[in-house]
């Protein structure tokens, strides 16, 4: 039994050994196959890597690998955009996958750089650093703003999170004071430290990544510095766009002071920095339509200042204002302010295309307003004023303007005096440019002299200037005499300032047209007896005949007549004018004047047929006896055949306000005007007037001691008064 048990145990041991040997063999085989598989995988990887970048095995593995540094790559201090590698950018398209890999690496580098800077600041000991930590978190509002300003100025690349804090405070609606201080702080930082002056910010993909290794010359730190700086610029560009959006929200605030500050901030940044200029410009232009007129005028002034500093932006600004004008939901008031801004724009012959574009815009609105019968409005006056200012600089086809000539002539007779003056000025410019001023224009101008609105108009100087240019260009002396007669007649109801201006105009016309001087030499005899003469029978018979002018209705006033019957029966003829029944229109056959037009008709519509060449300027005699000494002096000077010597502005010098100002013995406040805009060239030229502060005060001893012959006639009253007292 024992022998059997031994044999069985030996069999079991042999079987167990065999099993163990099989398991060992299988493990060995599995190990060998694993090694072979690993070797195959490694070999495949080697083949794939060498197939992509042959000969650069380790470098490719390390290019996008983030390796943290224990030192700062960007040193604090200075302006970040002054570094050489900060301005490296390209307009060529970059590989998106390459940009994405570099962007992930740049993000890790930037986060590590800012964290390292923060940890070093926390470890740093000193009273200044401890004060900064305390103030930024628990200080007053002003101290927090000052502390964040210092931290951003010291390290703008590492302190970008403070910029984000300021922007969030601007957006915060809880406190206007906090938002206003954060806005002011952000504006100062943007202008002085954060934005470059001569270029826009670039996004991360606008940099030359294909040449990055060459630019870094194989230096890994130089490459990482570029990536950190480019990523910072990318982040700051987005932060600034967010700041502009917050600024846009503030311009729609309910409080006017907040809107004014936001608008001034946008204008200041737009004038100095090129970043986000389109958004800032749209913001300014949109405020022309603000419901509050003060904000609209403020926006117009800021845009004028912008064009004064950057004249090359006129075309861009004009296009943006044009978009505002044609916006479907725009109000009439916004359109009016926009047109007023455009007609104040100073043009030049180099920008003839801009002038032509403006005229096209003006006439499109002009046609629309006339079509809607809204002709008696301020908008129409602003449009015509803009066309007047743009026409001399444009090179557009005259056909577009000639299409509006009939409409302009109709407008002259139905609108108020100011608008009609602008229309007449435009008509004169168009016709004078072709050297063909029609009789229709002179008839309209002759009629406008009797407009009651002339006495209260603020455009008296403009109207007198138009009269001077029109009479200077006229070659028909008979028509000039008719104008001079009517000018003298309307002075009877005008102020002394306007009368002096009209007399000065007549003096200049007499100098330019010596043939008109004959009027001054007629019918000024010393005796007051009437002189009669007998009328020839032949003349009497001819004058008794009926003169019938056929009706010939033309397109131009004065060029065609209407059927009119004139019957004149004269038994005796005197030098004094007699009333005559005559037609209001001039027949084309009677342009040279008929034989019976021997008397003057002051109410005739056409200056060519009113008979003004047969009567003298007797109104000057009455004006020489005027109560105002300057009016009497000017009229006497003309009667004596001399020219009026005067360098001031009679419309301003001889007003009642100027007279009363002489009793205020102190220098008046000087009017500065818009000194930083181009619109100053459209204002009247500052001249040395009689009442300027540089003159001697009327109560001074030097003024009193002067001879009366050396005193201007309008100051003789003061001289005599103070000399007696």
């Amino acid at each position: 039994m024992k022998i059997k048990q031994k044999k069985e145990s030996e069999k079991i041991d042999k079987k167990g050994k065999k099993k163990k040997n099989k398991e060992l063999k299988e493990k060995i085989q599995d190990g060998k196959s694993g090694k072979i598989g690993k070797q195959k995988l490694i070999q495949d990887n080697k083949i794939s890597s060498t197939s992509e970048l042959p000969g650069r095995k380790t470098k490719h593995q390390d290019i996008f690998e983030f390796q943290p540094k224990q030192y700062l790559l960007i040193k604090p201090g200075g302006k970040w955009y002054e570094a050489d590698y900060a301005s490296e950018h390209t307009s060529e398209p970059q590989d998106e996958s390459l940009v994405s890999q570099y962007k992930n690496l740049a993000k890790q580098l930037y986060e590590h750089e800012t964290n390292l800077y923060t940890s070093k600041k926390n470890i740093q000991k000193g009273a200044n650093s401890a004060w900064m930590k305390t103030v930024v978190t628990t200080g007053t509002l002003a101290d927090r703003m000052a502390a964040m300003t210092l931290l951003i100025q010291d390290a703008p690349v590492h302190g970008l999170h403070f910029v984000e804090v300021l922007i969030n405070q601007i957006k915060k609606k809880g406190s206007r004071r906090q938002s206003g201080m954060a806005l002011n702080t952000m504006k100062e930082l943007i202008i002085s430290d954060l934005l470059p002056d001569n270029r826009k910010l670039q996004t991360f993909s606008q940099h030359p990544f294909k040449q990055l290794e060459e630019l870094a010359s194989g230096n890994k730190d130089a490459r990482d510095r570029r990536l950190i700086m480019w990523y910072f610029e990318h982040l700051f560009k987005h932060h600034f766009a967010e700041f502009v959006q917050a600024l846009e929200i503030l311009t729609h605030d309910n409080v006017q002071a907040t809107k004014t500050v936001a608008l001034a901030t946008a204008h200041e940044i737009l004038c100095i920095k090129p970043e986000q200029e389109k958004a800032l410009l749209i913001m300014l232009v949109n405020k022309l339509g603000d419901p509050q007129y003060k904000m609209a005028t403020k926006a117009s002034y800021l845009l004028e200042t912008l064009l004064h500093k950057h004249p090359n932006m006129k075309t861009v600004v004009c296009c943006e204002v044009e978009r505002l004008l044609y916006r479907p939901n725009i109000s009439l008031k916004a359109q009016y302010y926009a047109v007023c801004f455009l007609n104040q724009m100073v043009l030049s012959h180099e920008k003839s295309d801009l002038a032509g574009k403006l005229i096209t815009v003006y006439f499109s609105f002009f046609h629309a307003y006339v079509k809607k019968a809204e002709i008696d409005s301020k908008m129409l006056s602003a449009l015509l004023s803009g066309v007047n200012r743009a026409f001399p600089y444009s090179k557009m086809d005259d056909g577009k303007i000639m299409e509006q000539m009939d409409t302009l002539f109709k407008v002259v007779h139905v609108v108020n005096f100011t608008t009609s003056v602008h229309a007449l000025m435009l008509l004169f410019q168009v016709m004078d440019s072709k050297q063909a001023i029609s009789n229709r224009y002179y008839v309209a101008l002759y009629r406008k002299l009797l407009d009651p609105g002339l006495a209260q108009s603020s455009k008296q100087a403009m109207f007198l200037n138009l009269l001077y240019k029109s009479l200077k260009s006229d070659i028909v002396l008979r028509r000039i005499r008719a104008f001079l007669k009517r000018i003298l007649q309307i002075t009877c109801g005008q102020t002394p300032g306007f009368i002096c201006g009209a007399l000065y105009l007549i003096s200049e016309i007499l100098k330019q047209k010596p043939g008109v001087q004959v009027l001054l030499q007629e019918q000024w005899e010393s005796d007051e007896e009437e002189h009669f003469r007998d009328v020839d029978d032949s003349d009497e018979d001819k004058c008794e005949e009926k003169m019938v002018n056929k009706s010939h209705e033309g397109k131009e006033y004065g060029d065609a007549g209407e059927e009119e019957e004139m019957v004149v029966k004269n038994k005796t003829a005197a030098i004094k004018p007699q009333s005559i029944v005559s037609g209001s229109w001039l027949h084309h056959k009677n342009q040279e004047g008929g034989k019976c037009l021997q008397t003057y008709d002051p109410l005739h519509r056409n200056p060519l047929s009113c008979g003004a060449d047969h009567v003298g300027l007797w109104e000057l005699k009455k004006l020489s006896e005027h109560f105002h000494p300057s009016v009497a002096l000017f009229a006497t000077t003309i009667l004596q055949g001399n020219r009026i010597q005067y360098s001031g502005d009679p419309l301003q010098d001889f007003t009642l306000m100027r007279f009363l100002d002489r009793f205020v013995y102190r220098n008046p406040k000087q009017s500065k005007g818009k000194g930083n805009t181009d619109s100053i060239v459209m204002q009247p030229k500052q001249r040395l007037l009689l009442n300027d502060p540089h003159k001697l005060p009327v109560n001074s001893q030097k003024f009193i001691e002067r001879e009366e012959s050396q005193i201007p006639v309008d100051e003789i009253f003061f001289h005599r008064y103070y000399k007696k007292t």
Side-chain angles (χ1 to χ4, degrees):
M1 293 295 294
K2 291 182 180 178
I3 294 170
K4 288 181 180 179
Q5 290 177 354
K6 286 181 181 179
K7 287 181 180 179
E8 289 176 357
S9 62
E10 287 177 359
K11 289 180 180 179
I12 293 169
D13 292 335
K14 288 180 180 179
K15 290 180 180 179
K17 287 180 180 179
K18 288 180 180 179
K19 288 182 180 179
K20 288 180 180 179
N21 291 332
K22 287 181 180 179
E23 290 176 0
L24 287 174
K25 287 180 181 179
E26 289 176 358
K27 287 181 180 180
I28 290 170
Q29 288 177 357
D30 292 337
K32 287 181 180 180
S33 62
K35 287 181 181 180
I36 293 169
K38 287 181 180 179
Q39 288 177 358
K40 288 182 179 180
L41 289 172
I42 291 171
Q43 186 177 4
D44 292 338
N45 289 333
K46 287 180 182 179
I47 292 170
S48 62
S49 63
T50 53
S51 62
E52 290 178 2
L53 292 173
R56 299 182 63 181
K57 175 181 176 181
T58 58
K59 287 185 179 180
H60 179 78
Q61 292 176 348
D62 296 339
I63 283 179
F64 303 109
E65 183 180 355
F66 170 66
Q67 295 179 357
K69 304 286 192 307
Q70 299 303 319
Y71 53 89
L72 294 175
L73 294 174
I74 307 296
K75 294 182 180 179
K79 297 181 179 179
W80 66 270
Y81 51 83
E82 292 181 352
D84 296 335
Y85 43 82
S87 59
E88 295 173 348
H89 57 86
T90 181
S91 58
E92 297 179 0
Q94 301 292 317
D95 186 9
E96 293 183 1
S97 61
L98 185 65
V99 172
S100 177
Q101 289 176 325
Y102 273 120
K103 190 173 183 179
N104 293 331
L105 177 60
K107 182 180 180 181
Q108 294 175 345
L109 289 171
Y110 180 76
E111 290 176 353
H112 174 73
E113 182 79 6
T114 53
N115 294 332
L116 183 61
Y117 176 80
T118 305
S119 62
K120 286 182 177 293
K121 273 287 185 182
N122 293 332
I123 297 172
Q124 186 179 1
K125 296 181 180 180
N128 188 20
S129 59
W131 179 83
M132 284 288 185
K133 295 176 187 177
T134 306
V135 168
V136 168
T137 55
T138 60
T140 62
L141 182 60
D143 290 341
R144 275 185 286 160
M145 296 298 169
M148 283 190 285
T149 302
L150 291 175
L151 290 172
I152 293 173
Q153 288 177 341
D154 183 49
V157 178
H158 307 93
L160 190 60
H161 60 284
F162 290 118
V163 174
E164 191 173 357
V165 171
L166 288 174
I167 294 174
N168 291 331
Q169 289 181 352
I170 294 172
K171 292 180 179 179
K172 195 174 182 181
K173 298 181 180 180
S175 173
R176 297 185 188 277
R177 180 172 174 268
Q178 180 179 356
S179 176
M181 291 188 69
L183 177 62
N184 189 39
T185 303
M186 190 67 186
K187 180 193 73 172
E188 297 297 331
L189 286 170
I190 286 172
I191 293 175
S192 60
D193 296 292
L194 294 179
L195 278 182
D197 296 329
N198 53 1
R199 68 176 181 89
K200 293 184 178 182
L201 297 176
Q202 307 294 328
T203 59
F204 190 78
S205 60
Q206 292 177 330
H207 294 282
F209 293 100
K210 295 179 180 179
Q211 295 84 23
L212 179 58
E213 298 297 331
E214 297 178 5
L215 293 173
S217 301
N219 189 342
K220 200 169 185 179
D221 288 349
R223 185 205 66 174
D224 292 347
R225 288 191 187 96
R226 283 175 168 82
L227 291 175
I228 292 172
M229 193 64 72
W230 296 349
Y231 189 73
F232 161 77
E233 184 176 357
H234 174 80
L235 291 179
F236 181 62
K237 185 177 180 67
H238 288 283
H239 283 317
F240 184 75
E242 190 178 354
F243 166 74
V244 172
Q245 292 177 359
L247 206 60
E248 171 71 20
I249 295 173
L250 289 179
T251 57
H252 297 284
D253 197 86
N254 296 327
V255 181
Q256 183 177 343
T258 305
K259 292 195 292 185
T260 304
V261 172
L263 202 63
T265 302
H267 165 260
E268 192 171 353
I269 296 174
L270 180 60
C271 289
I272 300 174
K273 306 295 182 180
E275 181 65 23
Q276 290 287 328
E277 59 182 1
K278 184 177 181 180
L280 294 172
L281 178 60
I282 293 174
M283 192 186 307
L284 284 178
V285 172
N286 285 342
K287 296 312 291 180
L288 290 172
D290 195 273
Q292 297 178 341
Y293 75 94
K294 289 185 178 180
M295 289 303 303
T297 53
K298 179 71 173 178
S300 177
Y301 170 73
L302 293 177
L303 286 172
E304 290 179 11
T305 309
L306 173 67
L307 295 183
H308 178 71
K309 294 181 179 179
H310 302 283
N312 294 330
M313 291 185 66
K314 288 180 181 178
T315 304
V316 178
V317 175
C318 177
C319 293
E320 197 58 47
V321 175
E322 185 182 359
R323 291 192 192 97
L324 177 72
L325 284 170
Y326 289 110
R327 197 176 295 174
N329 59 343
I330 193 69
S331 64
L332 294 178
K333 185 182 291 185
Q335 288 181 334
Y336 175 70
Y337 279 114
V339 171
C340 287
F341 164 72
L342 289 178
N343 66 27
Q344 293 292 321
M345 189 180 296
V346 177
L347 303 172
S348 61
H349 292 285
E350 291 79 11
K351 296 289 183 70
S352 59
D353 295 339
L354 177 60
K357 184 176 184 179
L358 287 174
I359 291 177
T360 304
V361 174
Y362 294 145
F363 271 126
S364 65
F365 277 90
F366 175 78
H367 182 70
Y369 271 79
V370 172
K371 191 175 181 180
K372 292 188 295 184
E374 298 179 3
I375 53 179
D376 196 8
S377 63
K378 296 188 297 182
M379 183 68 169
L380 201 63
S381 179
L383 291 170
L384 292 174
S385 176
V387 178
N388 275 315
R389 289 171 178 168
F391 180 76
Y393 304 100
S394 67
K395 295 180 181 179
M396 63 182 302
D397 186 14
D398 293 338
K400 295 182 179 179
I401 299 180
M402 296 303 294
E403 291 175 359
Q404 307 291 336
M405 295 296 284
D406 288 337
T407 306
L408 287 173
F409 274 113
K410 293 176 183 178
V411 164
V412 168
H413 297 289
V414 294
V415 297
N416 56 36
F417 181 79
T418 301
T419 307
S420 63
V421 170
H422 288 299
L424 286 170
M425 289 180 64
L426 178 58
L427 289 169
F428 175 77
Q429 282 197 81
V430 175
M431 294 180 179
D432 188 55
S433 64
K434 296 185 175 182
Q435 297 182 353
I437 304 177
S438 67
N439 188 55
R440 184 181 183 184
Y441 165 77
Y442 282 108
V443 170
L445 183 62
Y446 188 68
R447 180 181 179 181
K448 192 53 61 177
L449 280 168
L450 299 178
D451 195 316
L454 174 61
Q456 304 297 329
S457 176
S458 61
K459 305 295 182 183
Q460 290 180 347
M462 187 183 297
F463 184 65
L464 289 177
N465 183 36
L466 178 62
L467 276 174
Y468 173 73
K469 291 189 294 185
S470 301
L471 297 180
K472 185 180 177 181
S473 302
D474 196 3
I475 58 175
V476 183
L477 296 181
R478 184 176 51 182
R479 186 160 50 199
I480 297 176
R481 292 170 183 173
F483 269 96
L484 296 185
K485 284 286 294 182
R486 180 162 285 190
I487 290 172
L488 288 173
Q489 289 164 8
I490 64 173
T491 56
C492 299
Q494 300 293 335
T495 60
F498 182 84
I499 298 174
C500 290
L503 291 174
Y504 184 76
L505 181 148
I506 292 173
S507 175
E508 292 297 316
I509 293 297
L510 292 176
K511 177 189 173 184
Q512 298 286 338
K513 307 289 183 180
V516 190
Q517 291 279 358
V518 182
L519 287 174
L520 300 175
Q521 302 170 2
E522 294 180 353
Q523 298 184 2
W524 294 119
E525 300 184 8
S526 57
D527 57 325
E528 298 180 357
E529 297 180 359
E530 295 181 352
H531 298 271
F532 296 90
R533 64 179 177 84
D534 293 333
V535 180
D536 297 336
D537 294 338
S538 59
D539 294 342
E540 185 177 356
D541 294 338
K542 291 180 181 179
C543 289
E544 287 179 354
E545 294 179 356
K546 295 181 180 181
M547 301 177 61
V548 180
N549 294 330
K550 294 182 179 180
S551 177
H552 185 73
E553 190 174 15
K555 294 183 179 180
E556 295 185 348
Y557 293 119
D559 292 339
E562 60 185 6
E563 186 174 359
E564 196 75 38
E565 188 174 305
M566 298 186 297
V567 180
V568 180
K569 294 183 179 181
N570 294 334
K571 295 284 181 79
T572 59
I575 299 301
K576 294 182 179 180
Q578 298 178 353
S579 61
I580 175 174
V581 180
S582 60
S584 60
W585 297 91
L586 177 67
H587 198 273
H588 66 93
K589 294 182 179 180
N590 290 330
Q591 287 186 355
E592 299 298 327
K595 187 175 181 180
C596 292
L597 299 179
Q598 298 291 330
T599 56
Y600 173 62
D601 182 9
L603 299 179
H604 206 285
R605 296 184 65 176
N606 197 305
L608 279 176
S609 60
C610 65
D613 51 336
H614 299 293
V615 65
L617 299 178
W618 55 266
E619 296 88 355
L620 286 172
K621 182 65 177 176
K622 300 301 295 181
L623 290 176
S624 64
E625 301 170 0
H626 198 273
F627 71 90
H628 197 281
S630 296
V631 174
L633 177 63
F634 281 18
T636 305
T637 304
I638 295 176
L639 285 173
Q640 293 174 354
N642 300 324
R643 181 189 174 193
I644 297 175
Q645 301 290 338
Y646 187 70
S647 59
D649 184 3
L651 295 175
Q652 298 295 328
D653 294 344
F654 304 118
T655 58
L656 179 61
M657 185 58 65
R658 285 290 175 90
F659 176 78
L660 297 175
D661 285 343
R662 301 295 286 169
F663 292 96
V664 181
Y665 305 114
R666 63 178 181 180
N667 294 340
K669 185 184 293 184
Q670 296 295 322
S671 135
K672 295 181 181 179
K674 299 180 180 179
N676 56 344
T677 62
D678 287 334
S679 61
I680 192 173
V681 301
M682 299 183 186
Q683 304 302 321
K685 187 177 180 181
Q686 297 294 329
R687 297 182 178 180
L688 300 178
L689 307 178
L690 291 178
N691 299 324
D692 273 354
H694 78 279
K695 301 279 289 183
L696 291 174
V698 293
N699 62 341
S700 64
Q701 190 65 29
K702 291 183 179 180
F703 180 80
I704 297 172
E705 292 175 354
R706 283 186 173 184
E707 296 294 332
E708 188 170 316
S709 59
Q710 300 176 351
I711 304 298
V713 289
D714 63 324
E715 294 183 354
I716 290 178
F717 165 78
F718 299 103
H719 185 266
R720 292 176 180 175
Y721 175 79
Y722 285 108
K723 198 169 186 179
K724 290 179 181 180
T725 56

